[in-house]
């Protein structure tokens, strides 16, 4: 008698509208961002980064986040986290939330970020890792007291372009500090995409020696990303950050390529006995739609394969 196939849920955090678009050279219109978020929601994604409250001087692509939050179609089932780098950013968000007349909260979650190395932290936020954590503590405390969930990001968990190989113990230390601060989850980012499944195994073995794996997420870039994601998931990680069509890349990390494509991650997970709740066909269509809108190549291999199959089928129907 055949045993029923076990299905394991994996949560996808879609970072395309924020981490993906923030590195585009051209300014993406607000209506395009709004449509992208709405399309991703219809494709079944339940966690969609909607933008960030950062200085438009440094990240001009995120200047319209407040308007985007006002215009998107809100669903009670979907979280729309926004990146908040400091207290000024949180002040702006809280003012927006207080002034909103919407029956639904514009967002119920923020994300904060730090790194494992001082060199990258200085390049990204002009301070050391210790200084960054010290600055974030009151931001997290105030956000939680205002009823917001807080998610943490840690960059450079495998290799730093300035300092080289990162010792796993350093990742564990920073992760613990973010969790102790009040973050409900910490996303571990291989920002330059140089890690291998063995690197992730070694790093996660160290981190999970002191941190519950249920509080961790993986955030990987191009290179070996899908293989690394599957390695992390096989070790119990149940949240994966990814970006539709592979949008994105880190402007402060020399050599960083782009984020792992959500389409590729979903395909790999579904084919390996995991469930995401995402409609892969609708997701792939969204990937091509946004790529065409901003004039860039869709780097999702699964997305391109599905598009090629669709074209072939349409061609046969015309014969």
């Amino acid at each position: 008698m055949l045993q029923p196939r076990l299905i394991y849920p994996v949560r996808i955090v879609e970072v395309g509208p924020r981490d993906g678009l923030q590195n585009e050279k051209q300014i993406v219109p607000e209506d395009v961002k709004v449509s992208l978020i709405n399309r991703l929601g219809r494709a079944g994604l339940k966690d969609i980064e909607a933008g960030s409250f950062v200085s438009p001087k440094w990240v001009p692509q995120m200047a319209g986040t407040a308007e985007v939050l006002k215009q998107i179609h809100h669903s009670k089932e979907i979280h729309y986290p926004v990146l908040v780098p400091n207290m000024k950013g949180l002040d702006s968000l809280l003012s927006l939330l207080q002034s909103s007349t919407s029956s639904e909260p514009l967002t119920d979650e923020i994300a904060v970020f730090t790194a494992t190395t001082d060199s990258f932290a200085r390049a990204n936020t002009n301070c050391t890792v210790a200084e960054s954590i010290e600055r974030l503590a009151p931001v997290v405390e105030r956000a939680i007291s205002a009823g917001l969930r807080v998610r943490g990001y840690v960059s450079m968990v495998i290799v730093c372009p300035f300092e080289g190989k990162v010792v796993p113990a350093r990742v564990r230390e920073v992760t613990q500090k973010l969790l102790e601060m009040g973050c409900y989850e910490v996303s571990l980012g291989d920002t330059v995409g140089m890690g291998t499944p063995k690197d992730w195994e070694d790093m996660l073995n160290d981190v999970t020696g002191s941190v519950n794996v249920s509080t961790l997420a993986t955030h990987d870039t191009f290179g070996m990303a899908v293989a690394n994601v599957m390695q992390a998931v096989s070790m119990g990680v149940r949240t994966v950050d990814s970006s539709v069509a592979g949008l994105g890349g880190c402007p402060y990390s020399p050599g960083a390529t782009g984020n792992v494509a959500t389409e590729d991650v979903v395909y790999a997970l579904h084919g390996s006995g995991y469930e995401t709740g995402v409609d892969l066909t609708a997701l792939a269509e969204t990937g091509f739609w946004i790529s065409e809108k901003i004039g860039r190549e869709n780097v999702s291999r699964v997305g391109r394969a599905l598009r090629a199959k669709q074209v072939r089928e349409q061609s046969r129907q015309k014969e």
Side-chain angles (χ1 to χ4, degrees):
M1 179 176 173
L2 292 176
Q3 294 295 319
R5 185 184 184 190
L6 296 178
I7 301 296
Y8 301 96
V10 173
R11 169 173 160 255
I12 302 291
V13 176
E14 173 57 54
V15 302
R18 195 279 300 176
D19 193 36
L21 295 183
Q22 73 175 12
N23 201 34
E24 290 299 317
K25 294 181 180 179
Q26 65 188 60
I27 299 297
V28 179
E30 290 171 8
D31 64 319
V32 173
K33 296 178 184 177
V34 169
S35 185
L36 173 60
I37 293 171
N38 289 341
R39 287 168 182 259
L40 290 167
R42 289 195 295 270
L45 288 148
K46 303 301 183 185
D47 295 85
I48 307 170
E49 279 197 331
S52 61
F53 283 80
V54 296
S55 169
K57 175 183 177 182
W58 300 112
V59 190
Q61 285 288 14
M62 295 293 104
T65 294
E67 290 304 313
V68 170
L69 285 175
K70 292 177 184 177
Q71 296 175 42
I72 58 177
H73 173 71
H74 289 83
S75 168
K76 293 180 180 179
E77 299 179 348
I78 302 176
H79 296 288
Y80 304 95
V82 292
L83 192 71
V84 174
N86 49 39
M87 191 63 77
K88 184 176 181 180
L90 181 59
D91 286 339
S92 297
L93 173 61
L94 293 179
S95 294
L96 173 67
L97 297 180
Q98 291 168 3
S99 65
S100 173
T101 58
S102 172
S103 59
E104 296 290 336
L106 300 182
T107 183
D108 64 351
E109 180 175 334
I110 68 166
V112 296
F113 62 92
T114 186
T116 60
T117 66
D118 288 338
S119 296
F120 181 76
R122 289 193 182 96
N124 196 17
T125 57
N126 197 31
C127 65
T128 65
V129 173
E131 290 168 340
S132 171
I133 291 174
E134 184 177 355
R135 292 178 186 180
L136 290 177
V139 175
V140 173
E141 181 180 12
R142 186 176 176 207
I144 292 174
S145 67
L148 297 171
R149 307 196 312 168
V150 183
R151 189 172 193 251
Y153 279 107
V154 180
S155 299
M156 306 299 165
V157 300
I158 302 293
V159 175
C160 172
F162 307 107
E163 298 185 21
K165 189 79 172 180
V166 175
V167 178
R170 183 59 177 155
V171 182
R172 169 169 39 85
E173 292 168 3
V174 176
T175 299
Q176 284 180 305
K177 289 178 179 178
L178 286 174
L179 291 172
E180 290 168 0
M181 197 182 294
C183 294
Y184 76 88
E185 180 177 79
V186 175
S187 176
L188 306 177
D190 180 14
T191 317
V192 294
M194 295 179 66
T196 65
K198 184 62 167 63
D199 291 325
W200 274 90
E201 180 183 11
D202 292 343
M203 182 268 289
L204 285 173
N205 276 332
D206 191 302
V207 174
T208 56
S210 303
V211 172
N212 192 313
V213 71
S214 66
T215 64
L216 301 177
T218 173
H219 186 123
D220 209 330
T221 55
F222 226 58
M224 298 283 292
V226 173
N228 294 339
V229 163
M230 298 310 295
Q231 175 64 45
V233 170
S234 73
M235 295 177 69
V237 174
R238 288 295 178 266
T239 303
V240 177
D241 293 3
S242 57
S243 180
V244 64
L247 297 175
C250 180
Y252 302 102
S253 175
T257 47
N259 291 305
V260 64
T262 307
E263 300 93 315
D264 298 355
V265 169
V266 169
Y267 180 81
L269 288 170
H270 287 184
S272 302
Y274 299 94
E275 182 52 62
T276 64
V278 176
D279 181 334
L280 183 56
T281 300
L283 177 64
E285 291 174 354
T286 300
F288 273 97
W289 174 83
I290 187 59
S291 297
E292 291 168 0
K293 281 290 183 181
I294 64 178
R296 77 188 299 278
E297 180 185 7
N298 184 334
V299 298
S300 166
R301 294 185 177 183
V302 169
R304 289 186 300 199
L306 289 176
R307 172 59 66 90
K309 180 181 178 182
Q310 183 182 53
V311 171
R312 288 195 302 271
E313 290 176 347
Q314 291 176 342
S315 177
R316 290 195 190 101
Q317 292 174 0
K318 292 179 181 180
E319 292 178 355

